[in-house]
Amino acid sequence: MGLLQEKFSKFRLPQMYMERGVYPYFREIDSAQDTEVMMSGKKVLMFGSNSYMGLTHDQRIIDAAIAATRKYGTGCAGSRLLNGTLDIHVQLEKELAEFVGKDEALCFSTGFTVNEGVIPQLAGRGDYIICDDRDHASIVDGRRLSFATQLKYKHNDMEALEKELQKCEPDAIKLIVVDSVFSMEGDLANLPEIVRLKKKYNASIYVDEAHGLGVFGKEGRGVCDHFGVTDDIDLIMGTFSKSLASIGGFVAGDKDVINWLRHNARSYIFQASNTPAATAAAREAIRIFKTEPERQKHLWEITNYALKSFRDAGFEIGDTESPIIPLYVRDTDKTFEVTKLAFDEGVFINPVIPPACAPQDTLVRFALMATHTKEQVDFAIEKLIKCFKQLDLLK
């Protein structure tokens, strides 16, 4: 056995939980991603999806993707820089820029590669990147690719953020990078206070709206719109793989900054452009956001109902203010066990363990869609109460 093989043969996490029958990852789904899915011939209620607007199985989205595939084919066979730019890519960028209130937008093939490619191009040697310590892994990887000085502050602690800003040279770029909605905990970044500190210290703000679009703001324009701070945010990024029922991502901002990124972001100019189907699906999702406000309204009705129900039942759910509801377990083994028990009862939830959270903060993530019903939520909570009590996680 070579050194490489020997090193990784010691990785035991999957095997140890597989042997106990509680390994919770890579579970196969045999149907569309809807509120109810088929898994190994069994119907399971889906509370582990990021499809907040419930559009992944919407026939209009499917039809738009099929029509684009028939017209343009299955792929673009090149990068946007060279032969991979379609007219629908450009149209989507214009629609996204208008939607989030910025000059221009730039579309990437995944949301992860937006952060991976954009952040290193915004701040370099002599500059600073300042991140919340619970920012998404794509932000972490993006900042690691930059030669800027890396600073972190304690989650949503504005005094800690100000102390980091005070360490920075006044004339250097100071880029604050933050999720609008934190994907595991469900709480919101304190954008009004971050904007205040931006102005005080002449900083810039980059907001990841992956879990905010569709959910917050007028017509689902995001948390920046929700707080009324869009004009004070320098760059807004988002993904298509959540509310937009597709795959891809974008960044929007000042036209000069976007023009720089268009010619310098490595994960843009050296990556194949997004498929026609994914592009058309995202465009149709935005149209639905604008014309069906009742979808977002129902999502909030069901979210508020679930939040109250979980709290009344005694679950620890932290500071969530979104359809992402963390049910804290604070034990890795029991996190996996309760996930398996819930599945056996017909409820799909996601386990969250390090590195997605601190070791003492393990949880199961319960996420809502605009297509969930109160009856489905009641059923899931009843089963989760049973599972948590079985493991002495709930009194």
Side-chain angles (χ1 to χ4, degrees), residues 85-105:
T85 292
L86 302 177
D87 55 356
I88 56 172
H89 289 136
V90 177
Q91 290 160 9
L92 175 58
E93 287 171 342
K94 290 178 180 177
E95 290 165 12
L96 285 165
E98 183 277 329
F99 189 64
V100 299
K102 292 299 174 187
D103 291 348
E104 293 185 7

Side-chain angles (χ1 to χ4, degrees), residues 87-107 213 219-221 240 244 250-252 278-290:
D87 55 356
I88 56 172
H89 289 136
V90 177
Q91 290 160 9
L92 175 58
E93 287 171 342
K94 290 178 180 177
E95 290 165 12
L96 285 165
E98 183 277 329
F99 189 64
V100 299
K102 292 299 174 187
D103 291 348
E104 293 185 7
L106 200 63
C107 287
L213 292 177
E219 298 175 345
R221 295 171 194 267
F240 304 159
L244 273 71
F250 73 95
V251 63
T279 305
R283 289 188 70 200
E284 181 64 15
I286 293 171
R287 187 195 69 78
I288 293 172
F289 287 0
K290 292 179 176 180

Side-chain angles (χ1 to χ4, degrees), residues 228-241:
V229 297
T230 297
D231 291 344
D232 294 307
I233 305 300
D234 298 273
L235 288 138
I236 294 173
M237 76 79 61
T239 59
F240 304 159
S241 56

Side-chain angles (χ1 to χ4, degrees), residues 253-375:
D254 174 85
K255 63 180 181 180
D256 292 330
V257 177
I258 297 300
N259 186 50
W260 165 262
L261 294 170
R262 185 178 289 116
H263 294 89
N264 290 277
R266 293 169 67 84
S267 62
Y268 176 79
I269 61 177
F270 293 109
Q271 183 180 61
S273 56
N274 212 348
T275 65
T279 305
R283 289 188 70 200
E284 181 64 15
I286 293 171
R287 187 195 69 78
I288 293 172
F289 287 0
K290 292 179 176 180
T291 57
E292 296 183 4
E294 64 274 13
R295 187 175 290 268
Q296 184 186 22
K297 181 177 181 232
H298 177 72
L299 175 62
W300 277 105
E301 287 173 353
I302 204 75
T303 294
N304 290 327
Y305 178 76
L307 288 169
K308 183 178 186 304
S309 297
F310 276 118
R311 289 193 175 106
D312 288 349
F315 286 88
E316 181 189 356
I317 65 172
D319 298 319
T320 180
E321 301 176 65
S322 72
I324 300 166
I325 305 177
L327 309 177
Y328 283 93
V329 178
R330 304 194 183 281
D331 178 285
T332 297
D333 286 353
K334 287 188 176 183
T335 297
F336 283 179
E337 289 168 10
V338 79
T339 301
K340 174 63 165 58
L341 289 173
F343 182 79
D344 290 344
E345 293 285 348
V347 179
F348 186 109
I349 49 176
N350 285 314
V352 181
I353 65 167
C357 66
Q360 69 275 15
D361 292 333
T362 68
L363 57 95
V364 289
R365 182 182 185 273
F366 184 95
L368 290 154
M369 294 183 271
T371 42
H372 276 125
T373 66
K374 284 186 177 181
E375 290 74 22

Side-chain angles (χ1 to χ4, degrees), residues 109-178:
S109 297
T110 70
F112 198 104
T113 55
V114 177
N115 287 336
E116 193 175 48
V118 170
I119 293 171
Q121 293 299 326
L122 298 175
R125 294 188 193 277
D127 298 325
Y128 302 86
I129 296 175
I130 311 166
C131 293
D132 187 293
D133 67 7
R134 292 188 188 172
D135 277 346
H136 189 264
S138 58
I139 294 175
V140 174
D141 283 5
R143 68 175 177 79
R144 284 174 175 169
L145 292 171
S146 173
F147 292 108
T149 299
Q150 312 284 318
L151 301 173
K152 286 194 298 183
Y153 61 94
K154 185 178 178 182
H155 178 54
N156 249 347
D157 185 330
M158 296 297 99
E159 289 185 10
L161 171 57
E162 183 160 20
K163 287 179 181 176
E164 297 304 321
L165 287 165
Q166 289 168 348
K167 296 176 183 177
C168 303
E169 292 294 328
D171 295 330
I173 290 174
K174 298 168 284 293
L175 183 68
I176 303 168
V177 185
V178 66

